[in-house]
Amino acid sequence: MKRATKRGWPSTIIGIVLLALMLFPVYWMVNASLQPTGLPLQGDWFPFHPDFGGYATALRDQGDNLATSLVVSLGSVALSLGLAAPAAYALAQFPVRGTDLVLFGILITQMVPSIAVANALYVAYNDLGLLNSYLGLILADSTAGAPFAIILLRSSMQGIPREIIEAARVDGAGRLRVLRAVVLPVSANSLITAALFTFLFTWSDFLFALTLNTTDTVQPITLGIYQYVGAHTNQWNAIMATAVLASVPAAVLLVVAQRHVAAGAADGAIK
């Protein structure tokens, strides 16, 4: 027991040090966002007298960009899951010819550099009139979310006992009803996991936003922060406040869905 205690303290100290190093950028971001206007290096190490003026400025200047990111992210989640769920169901439960080849192709799409996809989409979007549009960004970001969701959901759906599906079919349910009433509820953890990661992919996207937007009409928060730094380099509290506000949705979703993500990842790993 004593030997285990001696080994535990160094590990705990190392863990605390590593955690502090990883969280230092977050601390610095929050601390700088609560300092008065000016260089963050001139502020205190702790905001004893917090100034929320940076948040007011950030909401005024970047509120529309936050709303744009939210609309595009939710749209990408809906489109990715709408495409991935039936595709994964077919690949997992039906004897589709060439399943391995299809899965290999889906994996290949995950290896293509985003800049190559963005450049190809720019030419197509220019012809189709999808530049500077919500739909254009939703479609572009779904190119990353949909393949990931298909792979994850297929692994989960493969574990559903065929007896459950056959029982539903015997009761008169069609294939779409079986998918909606049986398969999707059983795969809830994997669905939530796929939705969360698709949201995070889209929320943090910068490359598609920069390439597929030539005006300020549809500007996600990542692009807004990039341009904000250049335009307001003396207002670091507003810039850091924008970064904090941009981090809140992702942090909240990770905390709320943590249990489902762990279960969903395990479902995909076991199969």
Side-chain angles (χ1 to χ4, degrees), residues 77-167:
V77 169
L79 179 61
S80 296
L81 293 188
L83 295 173
Y89 176 50
L91 292 172
Q93 294 290 338
F94 298 103
V96 180
R97 180 175 297 178
T99 298
D100 292 339
L101 184 61
V102 172
L103 290 174
F104 181 72
I106 293 173
L107 287 173
I108 289 294
T109 63
Q110 298 286 278
M111 301 176 189
V112 177
S114 298
I115 185 62
V117 179
N119 286 332
L121 288 178
Y122 181 87
V123 177
Y125 278 23
N126 189 39
D127 295 336
L128 297 172
L130 290 175
L131 292 175
N132 309 306
S133 68
Y134 288 97
L135 179 59
L137 284 181
I138 290 172
L139 290 172
D141 288 314
S142 296
T143 60
F148 173 80
I150 290 174
I151 295 171
L152 183 66
L153 291 175
R154 176 182 177 271
S155 297
S156 175
M157 292 176 181
Q158 273 186 312
I160 299 175
R162 295 193 62 84
E163 291 79 7
I164 297 177
I165 297 176
E166 291 173 357

Side-chain angles (χ1 to χ4, degrees), residues 8-19:
W9 277 109
S11 301
T12 302
I13 293 173
I14 293 173
I16 292 174
V17 171
L18 292 176
L19 182 63

Side-chain angles (χ1 to χ4, degrees), residues 194-218:
L196 176 63
F197 278 92
T198 301
F199 184 92
L200 295 180
F201 290 157
T202 307
W203 187 265
S204 61
D205 168 64
F206 174 75
L207 194 56
F208 287 138
L210 180 64
T211 306
L212 303 177
N213 282 297
T214 57
T215 67
D216 297 338
T217 53
V218 181

